[in-house]
């Protein structure tokens, strides 16, 4: 993909990305209500999360990175993770996208989701779900473009920064 700042490549996340992935996620912990985590992680604390996303199977971690000479900066990541731990939920995944602040609005989220759903096409996955803290129009638009439809809203389900936040839930049929 080409953006106004150059080429972007999407690839499977690797352990060498751990620090950059942790830094990106910690930005959203510290600055936004997009995630309900409230304390930043160290890379060591975040490592089990990274390892729960192998290079194949229904639980993936894809990263977007500026292409070119050497390794460019991490521009974002997308995941498909277990929806719930019980066995009957195995064909459902929860998806998410996080973009570096400087990459927001440049099509990186679209590129990541396109690659993620292409990777899931041959997996035994029936539905994808996404919880979006409200308000977040950019995320709602992204998910709608990929065929997610609204299911309902959990009102005041999380408290962060001294206030309660709603989470709207979306579903995408994959089969």
């Amino acid at each position: 993909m080409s953006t106004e700042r150059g080429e972007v490549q999407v690839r499977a996340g690797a352990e060498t990305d751990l620090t950059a992935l942790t830094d990106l996620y910690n930005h959203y912990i510290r600055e936004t209500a997009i995630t309900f985590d409230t304390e930043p992680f160290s890379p060591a604390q975040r490592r089990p999360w990274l390892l729960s996303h192998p290079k194949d199977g229904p639980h993936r971690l894809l990263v977007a990175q500026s292409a070119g000479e050497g390794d460019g900066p991490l521009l974002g990541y997308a995941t498909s993770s277990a929806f719930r731990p019980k066995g009957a939920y195995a064909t459902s995944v929860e998806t998410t996208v996080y973009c570096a602040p400087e990459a927001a609005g440049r099509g990186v989220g679209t590129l990541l989701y396109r690659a993620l759903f292409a990777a899931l096409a041959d997996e035994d996955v029936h539905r994808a779900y996404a919880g979006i803290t409200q308000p977040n129009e950019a995320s709602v638009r992204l998910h709608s473009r990929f065929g997610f439809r609204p299911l309902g809203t959990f009102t005041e389900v999380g408290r962060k920064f001294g206030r309660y936040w709603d989470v709207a839930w979306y579903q995408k049929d994959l089969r």
Side-chain angles (χ1 to χ4, degrees), residues 45-149:
Q45 291 169 314
R46 197 75 169 140
R47 189 170 184 269
W49 166 84
L50 183 134
L51 295 177
S52 72
H53 297 90
K55 291 185 180 187
D56 57 6
H59 304 144
R60 304 281 181 108
L61 165 63
L62 299 178
V63 298
Q65 184 175 28
S66 292
E69 293 184 30
D71 291 330
L74 191 77
L75 300 175
Y77 69 89
T79 63
S80 57
S81 302
F83 178 65
R84 296 285 184 264
K86 296 178 181 176
Y89 289 114
T91 61
S92 296
V93 295
E94 185 172 347
T95 62
T96 193
V97 172
Y98 285 90
C99 291
E102 64 275 11
R106 292 177 41 202
V108 172
T110 297
L111 182 67
L112 283 162
Y113 254 4
R114 187 177 299 130
L116 180 65
F117 292 119
L120 293 177
D122 293 328
E123 299 295 336
D124 184 21
V125 180
H126 184 64
R127 297 266 195 277
Y129 296 92
I132 303 172
T133 303
Q134 298 299 302
N136 188 339
E137 281 304 311
S139 188
V140 169
R141 280 192 309 273
L142 174 68
H143 286 84
S144 295
R145 273 197 310 274
F146 279 90
F148 282 83
R149 59 185 166 84

Side-chain angles (χ1 to χ4, degrees), residues 33 38 158-165:
T38 58
R159 186 172 65 187
K160 189 172 179 180
F161 303 135
R163 69 169 273 200
Y164 287 97
W165 299 90

